[in-house]
Each structure stands twice: as structure tokens, then as C-alpha cells.
Amino acid sequence: MRELVVDTYRYRQLIWALTLKELKVRYKRSVLGFLWALLNPALMMVVLTLVFSTIMKFPIPHYSIFLLSVLLPWTFFSQSVSYAVDSIVGNGELIKKVAVPKLVFPVAALSSNIVNLLLSMIPLAILVPLMGHPFYKTWLYLPVPMAALIIFTAGITFFFAAANVYYRDVAHIVQVVLSAWFYFTPIIYALDFIPSHYRWLFKLNPMIYVINGFRLAVYYGLLPKWPSIAASFACAFTTLLIGFSVFRKFQDDFVFYV
Amino acid sequence: MSDQKLLRNPVAVKLENVTQRFRVIHERPDTLRELFSNFFRHEVSYHNFDAVKDVSLEVTEGQMLGLMGRNGSGKSTLLKIIAGVYKPTAGRVQVEGTLAPLIELGAGFHSELTGRENILLNGLLMGYSKEEMEEREQRIIDFAEIGDFIDTPVKQYSSGMHTRLAFSVATEVDPKILIIDEILAVGDAGFQQKSFARIQDFRQAGKTIIFVSHSMPLVTQYCDRGILLERGSIVADGDPTEVAEMYKNLLSPAIAAVH
């Protein structure tokens, strides 16, 4: 774990350069370029808002905000994992030729998505007053669930990035797992909708503790209770510990398999 | 002279009983399906192959070492071990000071980024800081003779421009140890001369150079020590002219077979 912190700090300039490279390559050859990082979530929000306020009416007021408050963090999670799973294999040619700490690649994939997550909060902040939803002071609390989410995501990405080096199926399996995970997480619905005798099953999903804080702060204007915050960080750090340990154990052998 | 150098100067690169073993899996299962089917048929077969076998080597500071050997003799593997790309299966590797590996020029270049952005990225990959690279940027551009193309994506470069820029980045960063793998045939005659002049400067500045080449004249002309690798082991170590002679003899049966 110390190695992760020390190396991330030591190679921060390299990580940042790789992050910019990823963002640049992602938006290359598009007229609007980097603006897409803002436009993408904004347009998605427009679509969702139109659909849920006119066509499908849910008994939840301001459903689009209810949804987006956790959909944006979820999108960050799923995109980070999808990008990072290929981060070692995709940089294989480089790894074979230059002695470079392997962790910079998943970390850079993650940090380019952090940039996207932060940018996507801007259209949400605009949408909230537009919808007539109160803009709560609890927005200020968002860095806390964001930290937990990023730590949790880092753990998952380290694990899958390493696993994908050995079995390329992992990249495909991850996509299936992500879409199943999406429906098992209270994103388009609330945990209250689940019959109470099944609820314990959903509570095994670490993701709910991690993203819970987002919905409470943005939609309800509430702060999570201490046990819930503790649970989110416990899940996040446990995941990171496992994911990074696996990554670290195998990182010296990546070069032979990429 | 070179003996005195050996005595006086500290060690720049030290390898102790280094072995690099590759597991050559016959049709390595790349997918789970293959893994399962092989598992059930008990067919995960492989053999071990030592690309570098129990090699011990000391390169003193300021030495220019010429590494010779046939294809597959372990030269590139040895360079990658010294450069830190491979962590050897057994043995110890010690490298004193910064090292610029010119193993494959422009390995860190990304085709969508401009020359300028790639200078920075490549430098960071070699472990230099952003400030250090910015300070050297103009010199790198000048030496590479890239001119106005520096802000064009690298994918539009000619292969000559590509290698010139890469060579320029790798040598301008002022490493203490330079590893050169068969890359001196880059660019036109003018640039080749420039690169040789630069390597001479490196030598005069007392830097350590490890040089792989199939060109015996180059090795005998520039190096002050020659090493011959054969099947992953050092079979000769000493005066470059003598070692080059041995290398020639090693090759002659193969050449005779062709004629």
C-alpha cells in the first residue's frame, strides 16, 4: 500500500502526462474536442430528463436528479473499469521496451476518468436548479463519497488490469459483470423498492455504501450516518488492498505475457 | 590504458550470476476456453528456455562495451535486464546512475501526440522530470532537425524524422549510462555522422556505453572492450578486435554453408 502512495506521488508527472494523453486521444479528431467531456453527460441528462418527466412518470419527484445523482458516479466506475482493464495489455509494447512502474497505466486510466467525473458534475449542478430541485448545502459533502468511490474503483481496476494480462477473456467478462452489477445496485431504483426479505442480499453489494452518499447529498440534502460512511471506506480500502496486492504480486511478470 | 581504467573507475553496471528463464509454452492458452480444454486433456505443455544463463559481468564507469553474438544469443535479453525491463529469474543486477535505453527508439512515442508532447512523455517515461525536459526541449528539437514539424502529430513524421527525434531525446537527457541496440543506422549519412559524433562526446565525457552491433568495424573502432555471447553465456571477454575475430569464426561455418 505504501508502495502505491509513494510511486503514485513519485511518478505524478508521468501519470498526469498519460492522463492528458488518454483524454486527448479520446477526443481526437472531434470538432468540439474536450468539450465532449461536458456535453456528453449534459446531453444524456437532457434525454433522461425528457424521458422521465414526460413519457415514463415515476412516483419519485424529480426522478432525473434522483437517477443522475448516482448514475454519474456509476458511469465513472464502469468507464474506469472498462478503460483500465486493458491498460496493461494496451501498453504492452511500451512495457516490453522501457522500465516503467506498471501501476502508472491503471492509475492514469483512472485519473482521466476522474477528470470526466468532475466535469460531469457541472451539468448536474446546472440541471438541479433548472428542474426546480433545491440546491442543498450537502453538495459540499460530495468529496467524501468521491474519495471512497475512487479508492474502491482503483482496487477493482488494479485487479482486472492484472487479470487481463493472463486471460484476455477478463476484458469481456468485465463488461457482463458491469451490466449485471448495474441492475443489482439501487441506481434506477431505491433500496426501499426491494422487498424487505431480499434487502439483506442487496446490502452485500459494496457499491451501495460507496454511492449512497451521492444520492443523499444531492437528492435528499442529507448526510449519511457514520456507520454508512465507515462501511463505504471499509469496502473501498479492502477492495484496494486486495486489488493492489494482486497487481503487485504479478507486476514483474506482466512483461512476459503482454 | 584500459586496464588502468578498469582499476580506477567505479562499477557502473554489475551483474551477478544472472539467469533469465523464459517459459516457452507450446500454444499458451490465451483464453479460458483453451485453458479448460487443455486442462482436461492435460496438455499444458511447456519447456524452459534460458535466454541468459548464469552471466556475471562488471562494466566500469566510462567503458564502451561492445556486445556481439548471433541472433538469439541473448544480447537483447541481456540489455533488457540491464535496462530494468526484465526482472531476472535469478541473480543480482546493480546499476549506478541514470540510464538511457535506446533499445527501440521511440518506443514511448504515441502517434496521436505531437513531437513536443512526445518529448515530454518520453522523458517522463525515462524518469526525468517535466522541468528537466522543458529545459532540454529546444536542444532536442534542434539536434533532431525537426523544425516546424515539432507541433505536428508524430504519425505524420517520416520514419527518419521519427528515429531522429527519438535518438535526440534519448541522448540529450544526459544519462550516465547509455544502452544502444543496433540503432546507429538511422537517418541519412549526415545524421549518422552527427549521432556518432554525439556518441564520441559521450565517451569523452566519461560515460558508460553498452553497444550492440553486428558491425564488427564499428565495434573494433569505438569500443574498448568486447564481449561475445553465445546461447546465453559469455564465451569471450576482452580486447574488441580479438573478440570480433572470434565472432567472425563463429559465423564462418554459417557463411560457408551459404556459399
Side-chain angles (χ1 to χ4, degrees):
Chain A
M1 275 308 236
R2 243 201 60 172
E3 184 184 319
L4 174 63
V5 177
V6 170
D7 276 1
T8 303
Y9 182 74
R10 200 166 135 215
Y11 295 99
R12 63 193 182 283
Q13 288 184 329
L14 174 59
I15 291 169
W16 184 238
L18 290 170
T19 303
L20 289 179
K21 185 203 92 181
E22 294 227 358
L23 289 172
K24 228 183 140 149
V25 171
R26 199 179 303 176
Y27 299 112
K28 70 179 179 205
R29 283 179 170 277
S30 60
V31 181
L32 296 174
F34 202 67
L35 265 180
W36 277 113
L38 275 171
L39 273 174
N40 232 339
L43 293 174
M44 183 184 75
M45 282 176 206
V46 170
V47 172
L48 287 175
T49 310
L50 281 177
V51 168
F52 289 111
S53 61
T54 57
I55 304 165
M56 295 167 65
K57 287 200 174 168
F58 277 85
I60 299 172
H62 301 147
Y63 178 76
S64 56
I65 297 188
F66 173 87
L67 171 64
L68 287 166
S69 60
V70 285
L71 186 60
L72 296 181
W74 172 267
T75 308
F76 159 77
F77 171 73
S78 71
Q79 282 204 352
S80 302
V81 175
S82 314
Y83 273 87
V85 70
D86 196 42
S87 60
I88 298 294
V89 175
N91 285 298
E93 284 309 302
L94 202 54
I95 288 170
K96 273 191 259 183
K97 283 157 198 158
V98 189
V100 57
K102 314 297 176 287
L103 68 85
V104 301
F105 300 109
V107 172
L110 187 66
S111 74
S112 71
N113 282 293
I114 294 175
V115 173
N116 276 331
L117 170 67
L118 294 175
L119 287 175
S120 72
M121 297 312 278
I122 297 171
L124 181 64
I126 297 169
L127 184 74
V128 165
L130 274 181
M131 290 282 294
H133 194 81
F135 199 99
Y136 295 113
K137 265 186 286 189
T138 44
W139 272 70
L140 289 174
Y141 168 76
L142 284 182
V144 178
M146 251 180 220
L149 176 67
I150 290 166
I151 295 165
F152 180 76
T153 310
I156 301 277
T157 58
F158 277 127
F159 180 82
F160 284 123
N164 194 43
V165 173
Y166 296 92
Y167 296 105
R168 305 291 148 85
D169 315 61
V170 170
H172 302 286
I173 293 168
V174 158
Q175 294 306 326
V176 180
V177 170
L178 281 174
S179 63
W181 201 341
F182 176 79
Y183 291 105
F184 273 104
T185 307
I187 294 168
I188 48 178
Y189 55 89
L191 192 58
D192 307 345
F193 292 9
I194 306 298
S196 51
H197 53 284
Y198 284 130
R199 223 170 273 168
W200 64 273
L201 196 68
F202 281 74
K203 285 187 173 168
L204 294 178
N205 177 3
M207 200 62 185
I208 73 165
Y209 304 103
V210 178
I211 63 170
N212 183 34
F214 284 91
R215 180 168 281 162
L216 282 177
V218 172
Y219 184 73
Y220 293 106
L222 297 170
L223 294 180
K225 295 192 183 73
W226 278 110
S228 168
I229 300 172
S232 72
F233 277 97
C235 291
F237 277 111
T238 311
T239 310
L240 181 61
L241 189 68
I242 297 170
F244 188 63
S245 309
V246 170
F247 186 87
R248 212 183 134 216
K249 185 167 188 286
F250 292 105
Q251 61 179 353
D252 287 333
D253 281 342
F254 289 167
V255 64
F256 303 119
Y257 293 95
V258 289
Chain B
M1 168 66 194
S2 76
D3 279 348
Q4 275 175 354
K5 242 185 188 172
L6 272 170
L7 288 173
R8 250 187 317 159
N9 285 2
V11 176
V13 177
K14 188 175 184 183
L15 303 183
E16 279 175 90
N17 308 96
V18 167
T19 295
Q20 184 71 59
R21 177 163 301 166
F22 289 104
R23 179 173 284 193
V24 184
I25 297 181
H26 313 137
E27 286 208 26
R28 199 187 88 78
D30 251 333
T31 62
L32 287 177
R33 190 188 60 79
E34 285 167 24
L35 175 76
F36 286 130
S37 63
N38 286 349
F39 182 77
F40 288 118
R41 285 184 283 143
H42 303 280
E43 265 186 22
V44 186
S45 60
Y46 63 87
H47 69 269
N48 285 330
F49 165 70
D50 291 346
V52 167
K53 237 179 288 176
D54 198 29
V55 166
S56 296
L57 171 67
E58 269 185 28
V59 187
T60 46
E61 228 178 89
Q63 223 172 33
M64 182 153 176
L65 174 71
L67 212 53
M68 286 167 275
R70 294 191 279 192
N71 288 332
S73 59
K75 301 185 299 290
S76 294
T77 307
L78 195 63
L79 287 191
K80 285 188 174 183
I81 291 170
I82 296 171
V85 174
Y86 291 159
K87 199 177 171 207
T89 320
R92 273 163 50 87
V93 183
Q94 235 179 304
V95 174
E96 298 294 332
T98 50
L99 180 147
L102 274 70
I103 288 176
E104 218 155 302
L105 280 178
F109 280 6
H110 195 283
S111 58
E112 295 289 343
L113 300 182
T114 68
R116 202 185 295 276
E117 290 164 335
N118 270 310
I119 291 176
L120 175 64
L121 186 61
N122 220 17
L124 291 171
L125 278 169
M126 286 195 282
Y128 294 92
S129 74
K130 195 173 169 221
E131 294 73 28
E132 285 173 296
M133 291 316 291
E134 276 164 359
E135 192 194 309
R136 294 180 168 95
E137 191 184 84
Q138 198 50 51
R139 291 207 297 276
I140 291 171
I141 298 169
D142 292 343
F143 187 84
E145 300 165 21
I146 296 289
D148 294 339
F149 278 93
I150 196 63
D151 291 310
T152 311
V154 162
K155 64 180 171 187
Q156 289 175 9
Y157 283 21
S158 70
S159 57
M161 286 161 77
H162 197 270
T163 22
R164 287 202 312 266
L165 184 62
F167 180 86
S168 182
V169 175
T171 52
E172 189 64 68
V173 292
D174 201 28
K176 278 191 84 173
I177 304 164
L178 188 66
I179 293 183
I180 307 169
D181 189 2
E182 278 291 5
I183 49 96
L184 287 183
V186 302
D188 52 24
F191 191 77
Q192 270 191 40
Q193 251 176 6
K194 247 170 88 173
S195 359
F196 274 108
R198 174 157 278 192
I199 291 185
Q200 287 284 41
D201 290 346
F202 264 79
R203 263 190 85 191
Q204 266 148 27
K207 291 175 193 292
T208 313
I209 303 171
I210 300 175
F211 177 56
V212 169
S213 181
H214 287 288
S215 154
M216 281 168 278
L218 281 183
V219 173
T220 47
Q221 189 186 344
Y222 287 100
C223 297
D224 36 39
R225 181 179 170 194
I227 277 184
L228 179 60
L229 274 180
E230 175 69 1
R231 290 191 195 146
S233 304
I234 295 178
V235 291
D237 181 354
D239 178 64
T241 319
E242 284 168 27
V243 176
E245 199 59 40
M246 283 187 67
Y247 179 45
K248 221 185 282 175
N249 293 335
L250 200 68
L251 287 176
S252 52
I255 294 169
V258 174
H259 286 291

